[in-house]
């Protein structure tokens, strides 16, 4: 039986009607937790340059990539099978390999970079893409605040973005897989951890979402590629802030027999920011579902479990 395809809402970031845009974002986050973002301002040249350099990195021999292995700093290379996003998976790990970058303006951030001898344009290209996506994320967060009936600068005022903690993760999914990997996923079922994720893909299919995470059997729907659009989804901490008004939706990447590249930009709150239910999202009949928690404490626990340390 074929997997149904999903028509996600299109949100135009260039619209001058911020109230109408915020209303559309609210509906998308309540109903899907996912939407497409168009007219975001990141041009094709920047995106294509990022993918070209990403491909060069993943084409390096494994021995070279392992010299940049992530470790517990969450910066650098992660080989296939290093992470299990669905802890109930019977496989030793997900099929994907990846590379973490960020935050790039923090001098103390333990970023790792390929040598200029092997990839001379790599760092400059990734920093450019990172900065442009960070700008889009900041603009979008102000609209999300409006969508929650808050001041547009609310998340900045409470310190969530002072400074922001944002991570760019380059991802490569294999084409051919071994017999022992049949049934495994490029990325197994999971929800993202932070505020929002901004994803760009190379157009190869594979992304699926499950809107009702507590429903069994689960219904998975394909997310079609929309040329030039970013795919945006809500993360766990935003779901906690909104008392589940906005949904942090389960998603996964299935193996489709073809190589797939993507880049996920995770915008997360400053680690000291306390995430607690927003007043606009609770009432006497809908009390807070989650206790307050520091962003950093929540994120580190999720990373610890998925990487098994």
């Amino acid at each position: 039986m074929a997997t149904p395809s999903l028509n996600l809402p299109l949100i135009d970031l260039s619209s001058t009607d911020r109230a109408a845009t915020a209303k559309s974002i609210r509906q998308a986050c309540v109903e899907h937790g996912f939407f497409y973002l168009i007219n975001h301002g990141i041009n094709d040249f920047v995106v294509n340059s990022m993918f070209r350099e990403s491909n060069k990195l993943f084409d390096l021999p494994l021995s070279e990539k392992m010299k940049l292995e992530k470790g517990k700093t969450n910066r650098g290379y992660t080989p296939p099978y290093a992470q299990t996003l669905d802890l109930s998976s019977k496989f030793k790990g997900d099929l994907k390999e990846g590379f973490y970058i960020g935050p790039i303006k923090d001098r103390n951030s333990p970023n790792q970079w390929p040598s200029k001898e092997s990839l001379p344009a790599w760092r400059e290209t990734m920093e450019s893409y990172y900065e442009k996506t960070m700008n889009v994320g900041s603009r979008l967060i102000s609209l999300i605040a409006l969508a929650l009936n808050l001041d547009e600068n609310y998340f900045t005022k409470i310190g969530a973005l002072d400074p922001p903690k944002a991570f760019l993760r380059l991802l490569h999914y294999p084409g051919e897989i071994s017999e022992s990997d049949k049934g495994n996923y490029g990325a197994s079922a999971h929800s993202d951890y932070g505020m929002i994720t901004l994803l760009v893909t190379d157009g190869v299919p594979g992304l699926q979402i499950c809107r009702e995470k507590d429903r069994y059997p689960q219904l998975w729907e394909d997310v079609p590629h929309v040329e030039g659009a970013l795919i945006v989804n809500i993360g766990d901490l935003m779901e906690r802030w909104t008392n589940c008004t906005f949904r942090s939706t389960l998603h996964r990447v299935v193996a489709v027999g073809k190589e797939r590249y993507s880049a996920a930009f995770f915008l997360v709150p400053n680690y000291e920011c306390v995430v607690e239910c927003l007043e606009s999202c609770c009432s006497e009949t809908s009390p807070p579902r989650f206790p307050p928690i520091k962003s950093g404490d929540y994120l580190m626990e999720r990373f610890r479990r998925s990487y098994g340390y």
Side-chain angles (χ1 to χ4, degrees):
M1 181 172 149
T3 305
S5 290
L6 188 63
N7 292 318
L8 292 174
L10 286 169
I11 304 296
D12 186 347
L13 192 60
S14 69
S15 172
T16 57
D17 190 340
R18 289 174 64 79
T21 303
K23 183 178 179 181
S24 296
I25 289 173
R26 182 181 180 92
Q27 183 175 357
C29 294
V30 168
E31 294 182 359
H32 304 284
F34 268 76
F35 56 87
Y36 298 111
L37 191 68
I38 59 173
N39 296 324
H40 43 71
I42 306 175
N43 64 42
D44 290 345
F45 175 81
V46 171
V47 173
N48 293 337
S49 296
M50 179 274 295
F51 274 129
R52 184 171 59 250
E53 294 299 318
S54 174
N55 292 12
K56 289 178 182 178
L57 174 86
F58 290 122
D59 281 345
L60 292 174
L62 181 60
S63 59
E64 290 299 307
K65 292 182 285 190
M66 290 302 288
K67 293 176 182 178
L68 300 166
E69 190 177 11
K70 175 182 74 66
K72 293 186 180 181
T73 64
N74 291 322
R75 312 292 195 283
Y77 177 70
T78 55
Y81 311 113
Q83 185 181 33
T84 306
L85 288 165
D86 181 355
L87 299 181
S88 68
S89 172
K90 65 179 182 180
F91 293 94
K92 60 182 177 180
D94 296 346
L95 298 171
K96 68 185 183 305
E97 59 179 337
F99 198 97
Y100 276 107
I101 304 165
I104 62 172
K105 291 188 176 180
D106 182 352
R107 292 182 179 179
N108 297 318
S109 185
N111 281 310
Q112 303 190 69
W113 306 100
S115 68
K116 276 192 169 292
E117 289 74 25
S118 61
L119 297 173
W122 205 87
R123 179 172 180 173
E124 179 184 359
T125 301
M126 295 307 164
E127 288 184 335
S128 174
Y129 182 78
Y130 181 105
E131 289 177 347
K132 287 177 171 57
T133 312
M134 182 70 240
N135 178 262
V136 172
S138 297
R139 292 161 60 198
L140 184 56
I141 284 294
S142 70
L143 286 164
I144 287 174
L146 291 176
L148 292 165
N149 301 314
L150 303 168
D151 181 274
E152 65 179 357
N153 296 316
Y154 176 83
F155 290 107
T156 301
K157 289 177 179 177
I158 65 169
L161 303 177
D162 186 23
K165 293 289 184 181
F167 298 89
L168 173 62
R169 191 177 190 190
L170 310 173
L171 292 159
H172 171 229
Y173 300 89
E176 295 297 320
I177 60 174
S178 66
E179 189 65 31
S180 62
D181 275 322
K182 291 290 176 66
N184 198 3
Y185 292 94
S188 53
H190 66 286
S191 57
D192 290 345
Y193 308 158
M195 299 176 78
I196 56 172
T197 303
L198 299 96
L199 177 75
V200 63
T201 81
D202 64 354
V204 174
L207 178 63
Q208 297 180 336
I209 72 172
C210 174
R211 284 182 283 173
E212 302 295 339
K213 64 179 78 173
D214 297 323
R215 170 182 167 175
Y216 292 95
Q218 292 176 328
L219 174 64
W220 289 93
E221 299 169 286
D222 289 324
V223 178
H225 179 69
V226 173
E227 192 66 33
L230 295 173
I231 301 170
V232 179
N233 63 278
I234 294 299
D236 295 342
L237 288 177
M238 186 62 76
E239 183 178 73
R240 290 176 74 105
W241 252 318
T242 66
N243 212 25
C244 297
T245 301
F246 287 6
R247 61 175 72 192
S248 180
T249 304
L250 276 182
H251 51 287
R252 67 187 185 187
V253 177
V254 298
V256 295
K258 185 177 180 182
E259 278 189 296
R260 181 179 187 271
Y261 294 86
S262 65
F265 188 85
F266 303 105
L267 185 54
V268 303
N270 182 287
Y271 292 163
E272 295 300 313
C273 180
V274 175
V275 177
E276 54 187 328
C277 183
L278 299 167
E279 288 187 11
S280 62
C281 296
C282 62
S283 64
E284 287 187 8
T285 57
S286 181
R289 302 187 188 193
F290 309 102
I293 191 170
K294 277 189 177 182
S295 165
D297 292 342
Y298 181 84
L299 295 167
M300 288 310 299
E301 174 61 18
R302 290 295 302 271
F303 271 113
R304 185 190 66 78
R305 292 172 61 196
S306 70
Y307 283 104
Y309 55 71

